[in-house]
Short mmCIF file of all heavy atoms in Angstrom, two decimals:
data_model
loop_
_atom_site.label_atom_id
_atom_site.label_comp_id
_atom_site.label_asym_id
_atom_site.label_seq_id
_atom_site.Cartn_x
_atom_site.Cartn_y
_atom_site.Cartn_z
N ARG A 31 105.31 90.12 128.00
CA ARG A 31 105.04 91.41 128.40
C ARG A 31 105.80 91.79 129.61
O ARG A 31 105.95 91.01 130.59
CB ARG A 31 103.50 91.45 128.81
CG ARG A 31 103.00 92.81 129.31
CD ARG A 31 101.48 92.90 129.24
NE ARG A 31 100.81 92.01 130.24
CZ ARG A 31 100.41 92.52 131.44
NH1 ARG A 31 100.66 93.75 131.77
NH2 ARG A 31 99.80 91.72 132.29
N ARG A 32 106.43 92.97 129.61
CA ARG A 32 107.25 93.44 130.77
C ARG A 32 106.28 93.89 131.87
O ARG A 32 105.36 94.73 131.58
CB ARG A 32 108.10 94.58 130.23
CG ARG A 32 109.31 94.96 131.09
CD ARG A 32 110.35 93.87 130.94
NE ARG A 32 111.45 94.09 131.88
CZ ARG A 32 112.72 94.07 131.53
NH1 ARG A 32 113.07 93.77 130.32
NH2 ARG A 32 113.68 94.31 132.40
N LEU A 33 106.51 93.41 133.13
CA LEU A 33 105.59 93.77 134.17
C LEU A 33 106.21 94.84 135.06
O LEU A 33 105.50 95.60 135.71
CB LEU A 33 105.28 92.57 135.05
CG LEU A 33 104.63 91.44 134.39
CD1 LEU A 33 104.44 90.30 135.42
CD2 LEU A 33 103.30 91.77 133.78
N GLY A 34 107.52 94.86 135.20
CA GLY A 34 108.17 95.81 136.06
C GLY A 34 109.64 95.78 135.69
O GLY A 34 110.03 95.16 134.69
N HIS A 35 110.47 96.46 136.45
CA HIS A 35 111.89 96.57 136.10
C HIS A 35 112.51 95.12 135.91
O HIS A 35 113.23 94.92 134.88
CB HIS A 35 112.61 97.27 137.26
CG HIS A 35 114.03 97.41 136.96
ND1 HIS A 35 114.62 98.44 136.28
CD2 HIS A 35 115.16 96.63 137.28
CE1 HIS A 35 115.91 98.40 136.19
NE2 HIS A 35 116.28 97.26 136.82
N SER A 36 112.16 94.22 136.79
CA SER A 36 112.85 92.88 136.74
C SER A 36 112.00 91.77 136.14
O SER A 36 112.47 90.62 136.02
CB SER A 36 113.28 92.53 138.18
OG SER A 36 114.01 93.51 138.81
N PHE A 37 110.72 91.99 135.92
CA PHE A 37 109.80 90.93 135.58
C PHE A 37 109.38 90.88 134.10
O PHE A 37 109.00 91.89 133.58
CB PHE A 37 108.52 90.94 136.41
CG PHE A 37 108.75 90.75 137.85
CD1 PHE A 37 108.81 91.78 138.77
CD2 PHE A 37 108.85 89.44 138.32
CE1 PHE A 37 109.01 91.55 140.08
CE2 PHE A 37 109.08 89.21 139.71
CZ PHE A 37 109.13 90.27 140.59
N LEU A 38 109.44 89.69 133.53
CA LEU A 38 108.91 89.52 132.19
C LEU A 38 107.91 88.36 132.23
O LEU A 38 108.26 87.26 132.63
CB LEU A 38 110.04 89.12 131.22
CG LEU A 38 109.52 88.99 129.79
CD1 LEU A 38 109.50 90.39 129.10
CD2 LEU A 38 110.43 88.06 128.94
N ARG A 39 106.68 88.71 131.85
CA ARG A 39 105.68 87.58 131.79
C ARG A 39 105.76 86.92 130.43
O ARG A 39 105.64 87.62 129.34
CB ARG A 39 104.26 88.17 132.01
CG ARG A 39 103.15 87.12 131.76
CD ARG A 39 101.89 87.54 132.41
NE ARG A 39 102.04 87.62 133.84
CZ ARG A 39 101.19 88.17 134.63
NH1 ARG A 39 100.01 88.67 134.12
NH2 ARG A 39 101.30 88.25 135.95
N LEU A 120 114.29 88.70 135.38
CA LEU A 120 115.47 88.81 134.48
C LEU A 120 116.67 89.28 135.34
O LEU A 120 116.63 90.38 135.94
CB LEU A 120 115.22 89.90 133.40
CG LEU A 120 113.99 89.62 132.50
CD1 LEU A 120 113.88 90.62 131.43
CD2 LEU A 120 114.10 88.22 131.83
N HIS A 205 114.07 96.52 142.87
CA HIS A 205 113.84 97.80 142.29
C HIS A 205 112.45 98.37 142.66
O HIS A 205 111.50 97.51 142.75
CB HIS A 205 113.89 97.70 140.72
CG HIS A 205 114.14 99.01 140.01
ND1 HIS A 205 113.04 99.80 139.73
CD2 HIS A 205 115.21 99.62 139.62
CE1 HIS A 205 113.51 100.92 139.12
NE2 HIS A 205 114.86 100.80 139.03
N ASP A 207 110.28 99.79 141.07
CA ASP A 207 109.34 99.53 140.01
C ASP A 207 108.82 98.09 139.98
O ASP A 207 108.02 97.69 139.18
CB ASP A 207 110.04 99.89 138.68
CG ASP A 207 109.07 99.89 137.52
OD1 ASP A 207 107.88 100.23 137.67
OD2 ASP A 207 109.50 99.53 136.37
N ASP A 208 109.41 97.22 140.84
CA ASP A 208 108.99 95.84 140.89
C ASP A 208 107.89 95.58 141.95
O ASP A 208 107.48 94.41 142.20
CB ASP A 208 110.23 94.91 141.32
CG ASP A 208 111.19 94.87 140.20
OD1 ASP A 208 110.84 94.91 139.03
OD2 ASP A 208 112.46 94.83 140.55
N ARG A 209 107.39 96.70 142.56
CA ARG A 209 106.30 96.56 143.50
C ARG A 209 105.01 96.43 142.74
O ARG A 209 104.28 97.42 142.52
CB ARG A 209 106.29 97.75 144.47
CG ARG A 209 107.54 97.81 145.35
CD ARG A 209 107.62 99.05 146.20
NE ARG A 209 107.78 100.22 145.29
CZ ARG A 209 107.83 101.45 145.74
NH1 ARG A 209 107.69 101.76 146.99
NH2 ARG A 209 107.99 102.48 144.86
N LEU A 210 104.73 95.23 142.30
CA LEU A 210 103.64 94.97 141.34
C LEU A 210 102.27 95.15 142.05
O LEU A 210 102.17 94.91 143.27
CB LEU A 210 103.74 93.58 140.76
CG LEU A 210 105.01 93.24 140.05
CD1 LEU A 210 105.04 91.79 139.54
CD2 LEU A 210 105.34 94.17 138.96
#
Side-chain angles (χ1 to χ4, degrees):
R31 180 160 72 92
R32 198 73 185 226
L33 301 179
H35 182 84
S36 309
F37 293 101
L38 183 83
R39 173 162 299 167
L120 301 181
H205 197 275
D207 189 33
D208 293 324
R209 295 172 295 176
L210 304 180

